């Protein structure tokens, strides 16, 4: 039997965290390719360190970005990377959008991979790789996300928005948050601890940073949920002036638990950023979240986990697993069958149903791929709850 009373913790990292800088650069490159050719293929990785950006991987796309021989337009890729760093706000001695050296090592996609993925003759488009992907939803927050990760994201997003608007000029781009919630009977009832570490100007001391951060935490947590003062930790190690890639190297795809459910649900083997939507690491994880969220939104269960699995070059999932954790009101096998009838789960079907061949990815690179609002241009389409009525009808609700 699952433990009912416990404390659970999740963390988030800001857009200026070194790994998130890499995720955003990789996804901005994905967006550039998809803007020019919606059927571009990319596996784009980024590394950052002190005043250096290295971009590598394989691509297939428009002639404006890669020629017939597979040679990539390096100046355009470099310009994309510099713009991302500038938009995040890095103009520091050790990491500056204009001064950093950029090396581009992208090349043409492997023909061996392409033959497995491409549709040809009677063969439908196959998955870009083997793997398992998970989707999850629960009724702890209006976003149908686990509360610890949602609050952790929201704290950093609020600080970032204030920094960009000039309301928090003493804060730097690099930051992390962590929220610990107390659960009773499986439901969050209060906050036991909050940790926020944020880069700051050398003009302010740690105690001042604490008071700068405090209102953003208070604005996110429910009324009365601020933890005891001794468990409100801001920059617990002290001074945090040197940050970002100058303080620590970053890599694409190294914050996958931050990207998903904060550890409250399983994560498959792959990261999301830098990948076009034929890569099921990304698209199938979005589809699984979409289905799980609609199950919870329809009132079928207050908690739902969905696992999908794929084989490279095979067009349909190898397995579809639905788990409502003993909270569901319906048979899970029937639920799995109905979900598959409502939404095709081949890579092509997912892309077309959720409209994923669009330049909508750089915005996903920070503050979570899930728990966001669907946007008019198709961004976060997997957060829609437009299956609710169909699910209710299928189960006679």
């Amino acid at each position: 039997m699952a433990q009912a009373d416990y404390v659970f913790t999740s963390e988030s990292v800001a857009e200026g965290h070194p790994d998130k800088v890499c995720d955003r650069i990789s996804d901005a490159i994905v967006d550039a390719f998809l803007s020019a050719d919606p059927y571009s293929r990319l596996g784009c990785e980024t590394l950052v360190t002190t005043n250096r950006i290295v971009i590598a991987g394989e691509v297939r796309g428009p002639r404006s970005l890669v020629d017939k021989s597979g040679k990539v337009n390096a100046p355009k890729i470099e310009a994309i990377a510099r713009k991302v760093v500038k938009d995040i706000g890095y103009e520091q001695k050790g990491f500056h959008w204009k001064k950093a050296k950029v090396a581009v090592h992208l090349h043409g996609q492997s023909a061996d991979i392409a033959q497995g993925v491409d549709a040809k003759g009677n063969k439908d488009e196959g998955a870009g790789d083997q793997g398992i992907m998970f989707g999850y939803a629960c009724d702890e927050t209006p976003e149908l996300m686990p509360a610890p990760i949602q609050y952790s994201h929201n704290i950093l997003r609020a600080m970032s928005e204030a920094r960009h608007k000039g309301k928090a000029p003493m804060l730097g781009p690099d930051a992390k948050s962590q929220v610990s919630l107390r659960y009773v009977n499986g439901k969050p009832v209060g906050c036991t601890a909050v940790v926020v570490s944020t880069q700051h100007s050398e003009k302010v001391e740690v105690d001042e940073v604490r008071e700068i951060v405090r209102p953003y935490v208070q604005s996110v947590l429910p009324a009365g949920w601020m933890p005891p003062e001794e468990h409100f930790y801001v920059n617990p190690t002290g001074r945090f002036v040197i940050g970002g890639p100058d303080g620590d190297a970053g890599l694409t795809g190294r914050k996958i638990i931050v990207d998903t459910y904060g550890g409250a649900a399983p994560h498959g083997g792959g990261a999301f950023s830098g990948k076009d939507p034929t890569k099921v690491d990304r698209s199938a994880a979005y589809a699984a979240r979409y289905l799980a969220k609609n199950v919870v939104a329809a009132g079928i269960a207050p908690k739902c986990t969905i696992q999908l699995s794929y084989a490279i070059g095979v067009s349909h999932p190898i397995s579809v697993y639905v788990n409502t954790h003993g909270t569901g009101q319906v048979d899970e096998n029937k639920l799995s069958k109905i979900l598959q009838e409502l939404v095709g789960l081949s890579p092509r079907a997912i892309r077309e149903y959720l409209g994923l061949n669009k330049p909508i990815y750089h915005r996903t690179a920070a503050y979570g791929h899930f728990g966001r609002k669907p946007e008019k241009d198709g961004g976060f389409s997997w957060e829609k709850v437009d299956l609710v009525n169909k699910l209710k009808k299928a189960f006679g609700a």
Side-chain angles (χ1 to χ4, degrees), residues 43-282:
C44 179
E45 311 287 347
T46 303
L47 176 148
V48 294
T49 186
T50 302
N51 268 333
R52 183 169 291 275
I53 302 168
V54 180
I55 301 165
E58 55 180 32
V59 299
R60 190 175 80 192
R63 293 290 173 257
S64 59
L65 290 167
V66 55
D67 65 22
K68 290 182 180 180
S69 68
K71 184 178 180 181
V72 171
N73 188 326
K76 285 191 176 181
I77 300 300
E78 178 179 335
I80 292 167
R82 292 192 187 281
K83 184 178 186 304
V84 166
V85 175
K86 183 180 181 181
D87 289 347
I88 291 171
Y90 275 114
E91 294 186 343
Q92 302 169 6
K93 181 179 180 181
F95 195 67
H96 195 292
W97 67 271
K98 186 182 291 186
K99 299 175 182 177
K101 294 182 179 179
V102 181
V104 179
H105 298 289
L106 293 171
H107 59 83
Q109 185 187 47
S110 162
D112 289 349
I113 291 177
Q115 71 177 352
V117 177
D118 292 347
K120 188 175 182 181
N122 293 325
K123 175 186 172 295
D124 194 6
E125 179 182 300
D129 200 355
Q130 70 177 49
I132 57 174
M133 299 84 208
F134 288 93
Y136 180 75
C138 62
D139 63 357
E140 294 179 12
T141 62
E143 298 86 359
L144 302 184
M145 285 285 288
I149 186 66
Q150 193 66 31
Y151 295 153
S152 295
H153 286 325
N154 291 349
I155 290 168
L156 294 180
R157 188 185 293 115
M159 291 169 56
S160 175
E161 289 174 355
R163 178 175 62 84
H164 283 296
K165 292 177 180 178
K167 296 179 180 180
M170 294 299 149
L171 298 183
D174 192 1
K176 302 172 82 171
S177 66
Q178 188 170 282
V179 174
S180 300
L181 299 185
R182 182 165 63 92
Y183 284 71
V184 174
N185 293 324
K187 299 292 183 181
V189 299
C191 181
T192 62
V194 171
V195 184
V196 178
S197 295
T198 179
Q199 188 180 13
H200 60 85
S201 167
E202 60 185 355
K203 297 178 182 179
V204 293
E205 300 297 326
V206 174
D207 289 344
E208 295 176 85
V209 176
R210 182 186 184 88
E211 296 313 310
I212 292 171
V213 168
R214 186 187 299 275
Y216 300 109
V217 177
Q218 291 175 326
S219 70
V220 167
L221 294 179
W225 278 33
M226 276 295 287
E229 194 65 15
E230 64 270 24
H231 296 305
F232 176 44
Y233 306 96
V234 176
N235 288 10
T237 60
R239 177 182 167 94
F240 185 6
V241 173
I242 298 173
D246 187 28
D248 191 12
L251 291 169
T252 298
R254 205 159 59 172
K255 284 289 177 284
I256 58 177
I257 302 304
V258 169
D259 287 341
T260 55
Y261 308 103
H267 189 290
F272 302 156
S273 291
K275 298 175 181 177
D276 73 83
T278 66
K279 311 294 192 295
V280 284
D281 279 337
R282 175 166 232 159

Side-chain angles (χ1 to χ4, degrees), residues 174-391:
D174 192 1
K176 302 172 82 171
S177 66
Q178 188 170 282
V179 174
S180 300
L181 299 185
R182 182 165 63 92
Y183 284 71
V184 174
N185 293 324
K187 299 292 183 181
V189 299
C191 181
T192 62
V194 171
V195 184
V196 178
S197 295
T198 179
Q199 188 180 13
H200 60 85
S201 167
E202 60 185 355
K203 297 178 182 179
V204 293
E205 300 297 326
V206 174
D207 289 344
E208 295 176 85
V209 176
R210 182 186 184 88
E211 296 313 310
I212 292 171
V213 168
R214 186 187 299 275
Y216 300 109
V217 177
Q218 291 175 326
S219 70
V220 167
L221 294 179
W225 278 33
M226 276 295 287
E229 194 65 15
E230 64 270 24
H231 296 305
F232 176 44
Y233 306 96
V234 176
N235 288 10
T237 60
R239 177 182 167 94
F240 185 6
V241 173
I242 298 173
D246 187 28
D248 191 12
L251 291 169
T252 298
R254 205 159 59 172
K255 284 289 177 284
I256 58 177
I257 302 304
V258 169
D259 287 341
T260 55
Y261 308 103
H267 189 290
F272 302 156
S273 291
K275 298 175 181 177
D276 73 83
T278 66
K279 311 294 192 295
V280 284
D281 279 337
R282 175 166 232 159
S283 56
Y286 291 171
R289 161 64 178 175
Y290 171 71
L291 295 178
K293 184 176 183 181
N294 275 271
V295 168
V296 175
I300 291 172
K303 185 185 297 186
C304 181
T305 298
I306 293 177
Q307 184 205 58
L308 306 175
S309 71
Y310 292 84
I312 188 168
V314 178
S315 62
H316 293 282
I318 302 302
S319 65
V320 179
Y321 168 72
V322 178
N323 182 2
T324 56
H325 306 275
T327 68
Q329 307 297 314
V330 302
D331 177 76
E332 290 169 345
N333 289 327
K334 181 180 179 183
L335 177 57
S336 175
K337 181 181 178 182
I338 287 173
L339 290 173
Q340 293 176 71
E341 290 172 353
L342 291 175
V343 179
L345 294 175
S346 70
R348 182 202 296 271
I350 291 171
R351 288 190 298 101
E352 292 178 351
Y353 186 89
L354 294 177
L356 299 181
N357 286 100
K358 298 175 181 178
I360 55 174
Y361 296 108
H362 82 273
R363 69 194 77 168
T364 68
Y367 315 117
H369 292 245
F370 308 127
R372 311 286 287 271
K373 292 182 179 179
E375 298 177 348
K376 291 182 179 180
D377 66 352
F380 302 104
S381 60
W382 49 93
E383 290 296 309
K384 295 185 295 185
V385 288
D386 52 0
L387 288 182
V388 166
N389 290 335
K390 292 179 180 178
L391 284 169

